[in-house]
Each structure stands twice: as structure tokens, then as C-alpha cells.
Amino acid sequence: MCGIIGYSGHRPAVPLVLEGLEHLEYRGYDSAGVGYDLNNELMVVRAKGKLKNLSEKFQGERNALTVTCAIGHTRWATHGAPEERNAHPHLSNSKRLAIVHNGIIENYLEIREELSQKGYHFASDTDSEVLINLIEDMLSQECDLLHALAAALKKAHGAYAICVLDREDPQRLYAARLAAPLIFGQGIGENFIASDIPAFLAYTRDVVFLEDGDILVADSDSYQLWKSSDLTPIQRPVQQIQWSMQAAQKGGYRHFMLKEIFEQPKVISDALSGRFEGSRVLLSELDALPVPKRLHIIACGTSFHAGLWGQHLLEDWARIPVQVEIASEFRYKERLLLNPDQDIVLVISQSGETADTLAALRMANEIGVPTLGLCNVLGSSVAREAGAVLYTQAGPEISVASTKAMTSQMIMLACLALYYGYRSGNLGVDECLQNIDRLQRLPLMLETALPEMHSTARLLARKFSQSKSFFYLGRGHCFSLALEGALKLKELSYIHAEGYAAGEMKHGPIALIDPTFPTFVLAPHDVLYEKIKSNIVEIQSRQGQIIVLTDAESDLHGVDIWRIPSLEGPLGAFLILPCLQLFSYEVADYLGKDVDQPRNLAKSVTVE
Ligand code: F6R
């Protein structure tokens, strides 16, 4: 949560930082701010609400254009309401230092109390203002800011990615990370530091991923990394980022979400690329690990739904018992029934930074169970800490609501099921070949179907956007999609929606059905088709409105039958999921909601 950026170079720093913040806004958007030195005075300009409110404050502001070093922040409130006084940067009491901070300092109240007794005062409710004053306090005891920073970070417990500016040395950036992402971008005569790569991708592709416990000091021409525990200098490799800047732009679409939905055919082919050799699935990342006797999939939100979907394939194709758990539940279990000799823990996370998922991964690592990370973000914490990593290669997902990332996770789970199925001998060559062929046909099928799906979604959205509540029903692998459909609708349009296993309806929820309560039924023509037809009849006989998403094979007729191409078995999910995404997108857009940045949300949930 929260996005930070720092720049030191030769360009006007304030516009560059504002531009960088636009690419980080997905991380939090309740307030934003920029800090820089002007004639030996640290200036802090902050605004409540979206970034445009901050940008407006710079209109006609010429002085700010002369500075070539600045820091910026876009906030998702943790400590303190989303008010201007709680927005970052925060100044130290003497106004010598300014900080932008992403994360939480857990013992900030204790430190605040100590500092208050020494005469420090605080203008905000934030832990970040406490941290910058702690650094200032240390500065009075240490020889320089680097040592003061290290000493303060020893005292502060929690998670942080910070960037600090010093009035006495205003072209230099001081940064540090612990359990929150921070990436250094190396340019020519300019250097960057940010929570995520798109913030500076227009200027450089050469990056260094900071690790937990790193401190970085950079000016426009040089940088140095230190271990914060003892200030020994360290080296980290410079890596080249392959994405294009276009991947982080809207490319003519009204919203990132729509662009990302339409990118899914390419996302599927990218994820599959180089993964097959005849009937074999190539996941060399896993060759050193045994086939597990039991797989534990752990994730949050949409990634959890992808895990639930993957469970079907892994149990069906690979015959591996799978337990899928929500990370925030798993991490607080008193007894973890994990067997290091037989089990594998698979964590799924688009961002690779989700606090609960990361905590679950660390617990599994501690117990000594082999761990596997399925994630999208190169160099993220999950990628670094899991025993083995499968990258989903979906490219940057900017829209806060996850779409293409889920599809890419499902593709990799399908590959995993084939891989384990083949390795364990549970899938024959013919079955493997048949499923590989189906997977490879997906991109074209989806690409062809998307325009019509979009038109139908638009029509249905007009009709149903005034509803107050929705059910989403599915059976088998479609149950996980029903959960995801409901999540997408509520997070984007703020319409209450619940996903249910269709067979559960008569155990209580059906009591809610009346002519104003619509149900979105997922009814592909598969082995459970007749069963779901009975559920449809039960709802119709209670005058409930229904949207039925089905395929060309089905014999259902009625008003809101949404027919898509048929695709046998669970791989049909790759055509069903985009319909659910498009429907939610269209409802939210029709209602005038902020599709890419829904209220109260942030893209990467790095706090509990
Ligand atoms: C919903 C959504 C969230 C995330 C969840 C986990 O659209 O995006 O539910 O899926 O916060 O995030 P990751 O996958 O980054 O761990």
C-alpha cells in the first residue's frame, strides 16, 4: 500500500515525480504529496484525494520547476485519516529532513512517547512522522545521516520502504526497505527509487531490487548500498526490465481494466510460451522438487479464487489432494498440519507482496516444507523467498481489480496439473496432448470471442445496474468463478454480491430470491449441466431474475441467456472469466464508478 518515488538527476524533478506517482496511484489514492529543497528550505506540497488535486497545486508554480531532486508519495491510509495533514512527505521538527514512507511502524506509539518527552511535537497522526523525527533525533547522536538512519531503523519495528531528503545535502536520496517493495532505477546522470518499476520505466530499464535490510544512498551520478544492521557496503545485481512502457499505459482503452481484460489472449500465449515439448510440460523450475503427496495452496482474494479453480485440475489431472486456504486464516492456525517430507506449499500472489500470503510463505519455510511461489512481479518478496518460483508473465497489472493476473495464474496452474499428472504417471500421453492442444487454442478462441462478449456485457449491465444485490452461482470448477464474479461486481460497482456453490442455494440463501434479486448462473454444458438447470428452475419458480452464462451446446432458452463458444471441461473457465470481468466493468462504468481505482482499495495489500 502507498507508493513512493525519489528522483535525483538533471530533469525538472517535480513534474517527473508527479508523473511517476500517476503510475503508482494504483497502490493508494487517498492523498498525495511531493517534497523538494528550494533555496535551502524543504518544501512540502500535499493534497487530499486523487493525484490531480496535487497536480493542480503546482499549476503556475514556476519555482518548483527549477529543482532536480524530489520525493513523492501516494497514500493508502493506515495511521491517521486521509487528511492533508496526514499526507506525505512529513517533515522532521527542525525541517531539516523529509520522509515518504510505505508500511507500518508497529512500535510508533512507544517511540512517539519517548520523543515527546524530549520535546518533539507532531503535526499528524502518522507513524511516518514519528519515524522521521526518530531519524532526526539519532542525527544528533550519530556522525551522519547514514548512521542516524541505520540507528533509527534498528529501533523501529515493522515494515517500511522509505525515502528521505536532507536539506543539508539536497541532491542526495536516502532509502531503505524492510518487508515493503523498493526498486532502484539507474539512469545516465539521473537515478530513481520507487515502489514499482512503472514509476520510472519511461527513463530507465536498469534496476536493482533492494532486499530487506538494505539502505541505499544515491545522487544523480552514483549510488551505494549498505546492510542496515552493520553498515557494511553490499552489491546487488543490476537487472534489465523487458516490459515496454506501453504495457503500463492505457493504449487507447477507457480504463486499464478494460485494456487488461482485452490483453488476456496474449497473456495466455505468453504464459504458455516455451512450456511444451510434445506431450511434456516443461516446468524446469520444479524439476528438483518431488511430486507432492499433498499440495497446500495459500493466497488472498482473486489469487485465492485462482487457487480454488486450480484445485479441480490438480485433483483431476494429477490426482494430488489439494487444500486451498485463505492466507490470513492459514497464518494464525495453532497447528499447521504440514509434512515436510510429503507436502508442498504453493503461494499465489500477483504482487508477491501481500502481507498475509508472505507471512504464510515464511511459516512454511520455517517448518521446512518445500515452497513454491506463483507470482507476477519479478524480484518481489514472494519471488525471492519461495523455494522455487513460477512467473505468470502477465506484465504490469495497473487496474486495482485483478483480471489478467488471475487468467495467467490459472494457466500456470493448468500447466502445473499437467506437469504433475505426467510426472506421476496419472495422465497418459494422449490426455496430455489433448489438453495441451486445448490450451494452445485458447488465445485465438478468446480473442475472437471478446468483442461480442463485450457487447453482451454492456447490454446486460444497462439492464441490471440498478440491482441492489446479486447471487453468482456455479458448480464444480465454476464455483470458484462464481466467487470471483461476485468479488469483481462488489469491488467495482459497490453492489452487494455473493458467490455460492449452486447446490447450497436451497440450504438457506434461496430465501432471498424475489423479483428484485437477480442471480448470475454459470451453466456451461458439462457434466454438471443438468444439475445447474435444476437450480435455474428453482430460482425461476420464485420469480427471480436470472442471467445464464452458457455455451453453444446448451438447450436453455430465455431472455437473458448469454451464449459463448463451447469449450469442454474446466478450460472453459478461460471464456467464462472474461465475461464476468466485462459484466462487472460495464456495470461499474455505467454507474460512473472509478473503475481502475475503486474506493477503499489498494493494489498491493502489504499490511495485515
Ligand atoms: C481483487 C484483487 C485482490 C487481490 C488480493 C491478493 O480484484 O485484486 O483480491 O487478488 O489482494 O493480491 P495478490 O495476488 O497481489 O497477493
Side-chain angles (χ1 to χ4, degrees):
M1 332 294 265
C2 302
I4 69 170
I5 177 167
Y7 173 78
S8 176
H10 48 79
R11 301 171 206 264
V14 170
L16 186 143
V17 162
L18 287 171
E19 178 196 323
L21 288 178
E22 262 173 49
H23 294 287
L24 295 176
E25 211 180 4
Y26 73 87
R27 300 180 65 84
Y29 34 82
D30 60 42
S31 55
V34 173
Y36 51 94
D37 173 83
L38 192 67
N39 306 326
N40 209 25
E41 187 184 347
L42 283 188
M43 313 297 293
V44 159
V45 182
R46 305 180 294 188
K48 186 179 165 179
K50 290 290 189 77
L51 196 54
K52 67 175 176 29
N53 300 349
L54 177 66
S55 301
E56 276 164 15
K57 289 197 170 183
F58 283 100
Q59 268 165 23
E61 173 55 67
R62 283 158 161 244
N63 286 341
L65 282 183
T66 60
V67 306
T68 53
C69 183
I71 56 176
H73 188 269
T74 174
R75 180 166 188 252
W76 187 85
T78 53
H79 295 91
E83 300 293 342
E84 188 173 322
R85 71 191 180 86
N86 288 326
H88 299 215
H90 290 285
L91 289 171
S92 63
N93 274 198
S94 74
K95 299 194 169 32
R96 172 174 167 179
L97 304 174
I99 192 171
V100 286
H101 168 216
N102 166 33
I104 290 183
I105 304 302
E106 283 161 6
N107 55 342
Y108 84 106
L109 283 175
E110 200 180 292
I111 302 172
R112 187 180 162 125
E113 181 56 35
E114 244 176 72
L115 291 172
S116 301
Q117 281 170 17
K118 290 185 179 180
Y120 283 86
H121 57 266
F122 299 92
S124 76
D125 307 322
T126 66
D127 50 344
S128 317
E129 192 189 11
V130 172
L131 181 58
I132 195 62
N133 281 302
L134 177 64
I135 298 169
E136 175 151 294
D137 194 50
M138 293 297 177
L139 196 49
S140 61
Q141 302 162 35
E142 300 285 344
C143 55
D144 59 20
L145 183 52
L146 176 63
H147 286 80
L149 186 59
L153 294 178
K154 262 190 205 134
K155 222 172 152 177
H157 305 150
Y160 51 79
I162 56 170
C163 190
V164 172
L165 206 56
D166 179 6
R167 187 187 60 203
E168 302 301 313
D169 190 5
Q171 292 301 118
R172 205 179 298 278
L173 301 167
Y174 289 79
R177 76 153 270 175
L178 187 75
L182 198 57
I183 299 138
F184 172 68
Q186 185 182 26
I188 299 170
E190 57 186 347
N191 285 318
F192 306 79
I193 186 90
S195 303
D196 199 0
I197 296 162
F200 54 68
L201 190 60
Y203 302 97
T204 183
R205 282 159 189 282
D206 294 333
V207 306
V208 176
F209 292 98
L210 269 69
E211 305 234 340
D212 281 351
D214 285 0
I215 291 184
L216 175 127
V217 181
D219 59 16
S220 56
D221 295 310
S222 63
Y223 73 98
Q224 175 65 56
L225 283 156
W226 318 81
K227 231 159 90 181
S228 81
S229 53
D230 56 7
L231 286 182
T232 43
I234 42 174
Q235 306 277 337
R236 301 248 176 254
V238 178
Q239 302 188 33
Q240 267 245 321
I241 295 303
Q242 300 304 333
W243 322 327
S244 68
M245 193 55 204
Q246 270 167 319
Q249 285 168 346
K250 282 190 201 151
Y253 286 90
R254 254 169 76 68
H255 297 100
F256 279 111
M257 181 176 177
L258 193 58
K259 175 182 172 242
E260 287 160 9
I261 293 172
F262 273 82
E263 273 173 2
Q264 291 178 111
K266 180 168 184 314
V267 163
I268 297 175
S269 37
D270 287 351
L272 293 177
S273 154
R275 290 297 185 184
F276 304 125
E277 193 178 77
S279 60
R280 277 185 60 219
V281 175
L282 307 177
L283 294 180
S284 56
E285 300 90 329
L286 307 190
D287 288 348
L289 292 172
V291 177
K293 293 268 181 306
R294 201 160 58 131
L295 191 68
H296 300 261
I297 299 183
I298 298 158
C300 301
T302 292
S303 297
F304 169 71
H305 298 155
L308 280 177
W309 181 84
Q311 178 180 28
H312 279 265
L313 272 78
L314 284 152
E315 293 190 344
D316 191 22
W317 292 354
R319 302 274 190 277
I320 297 175
V322 179
Q323 202 159 336
V324 191
E325 291 186 73
I326 292 173
S328 54
E329 291 297 316
F330 176 89
R331 68 178 290 192
Y332 291 114
K333 279 189 161 175
E334 287 203 359
R335 240 174 227 91
L336 284 180
L337 301 177
L338 298 175
N339 181 341
D341 300 324
Q342 302 199 328
D343 298 356
I344 285 187
V345 166
L346 164 63
V347 297
I348 307 178
S349 175
Q350 185 285 131
S351 61
E353 300 293 347
T354 300
D356 287 320
T357 309
L358 205 49
L361 171 65
R362 287 176 180 155
M363 284 165 72
N365 279 340
E366 238 164 64
I367 292 171
V369 189
T371 55
L372 175 59
L374 181 56
C375 74
N376 193 34
V377 177
L378 192 77
S380 60
S381 301
V382 164
R384 286 199 321 268
E385 294 184 33
V389 191
L390 288 174
Y391 280 111
T392 49
Q393 301 185 70
E397 190 179 62
I398 309 289
S399 169
V400 166
S402 186
T403 54
K404 64 174 181 172
M406 180 172 180
T407 292
S408 66
Q409 291 163 349
M410 287 162 52
I411 284 288
M412 292 315 292
L413 287 164
C415 289
L416 189 65
L418 284 176
Y419 170 84
Y420 280 145
Y422 190 87
R423 260 183 76 180
S424 61
N426 283 312
L427 273 188
V429 168
D430 286 349
E431 273 174 298
C432 283
L433 283 172
Q434 198 180 42
N435 285 310
I436 289 173
D437 177 55
R438 284 185 185 145
L439 280 166
Q440 286 178 320
R441 282 192 288 123
L442 281 173
L444 184 60
M445 269 187 103
L446 180 56
E447 182 148 22
T448 315
L450 270 169
E452 196 180 320
M453 285 176 178
H454 191 195
S455 314
T456 313
R458 202 177 279 143
L459 289 175
L460 289 169
R462 303 280 184 281
K463 179 165 175 186
F464 286 94
S465 59
Q466 298 312 318
S467 309
K468 295 278 171 280
S469 273
F470 249 93
F471 272 137
Y472 280 72
L473 300 186
R475 282 176 177 263
H477 77 100
C478 283
F479 168 46
S480 56
L481 303 179
L483 293 176
E484 176 60 11
L487 173 62
K488 283 280 112 43
L489 188 69
K490 62 189 148 202
E491 70 179 324
L492 293 168
S493 64
Y494 320 144
I495 293 173
H496 167 249
E498 279 187 79
Y500 261 99
E504 277 292 290
M505 275 297 273
K506 53 173 97 57
H507 297 288
I510 201 164
L512 289 169
I513 295 295
D514 70 16
T516 66
F517 196 125
T519 303
F520 197 128
V521 185
L522 309 182
H525 196 264
D526 60 15
V527 285
L528 296 170
Y529 177 64
E530 292 302 330
K531 302 283 169 203
I532 200 109
K533 263 171 79 177
S534 312
N535 298 125
I536 293 172
V537 173
E538 285 157 13
I539 296 165
Q540 281 169 335
S541 59
R542 284 155 185 88
Q543 284 80 50
Q545 285 178 290
I546 301 194
I547 299 173
V548 182
L549 183 62
T550 187
D551 55 40
E553 309 276 309
S554 103
D555 56 358
L556 284 162
H557 298 285
V559 193
D560 295 312
I561 303 285
W562 183 349
R563 233 176 265 283
I564 54 175
S566 14
L567 192 61
E568 215 185 297
L571 298 188
F574 291 97
L575 298 174
I576 295 171
L577 181 63
C579 295
L580 299 173
Q581 297 165 344
L582 284 164
F583 177 70
S584 301
Y585 168 82
E586 285 298 332
V587 172
D589 192 34
Y590 187 68
L591 293 175
K593 306 296 183 211
D594 190 342
V595 174
D596 281 335
Q597 294 172 345
R599 70 183 181 202
N600 304 339
L601 300 184
K603 184 75 183 159
S604 103
V605 186
T606 54
V607 292
E608 263 197 85

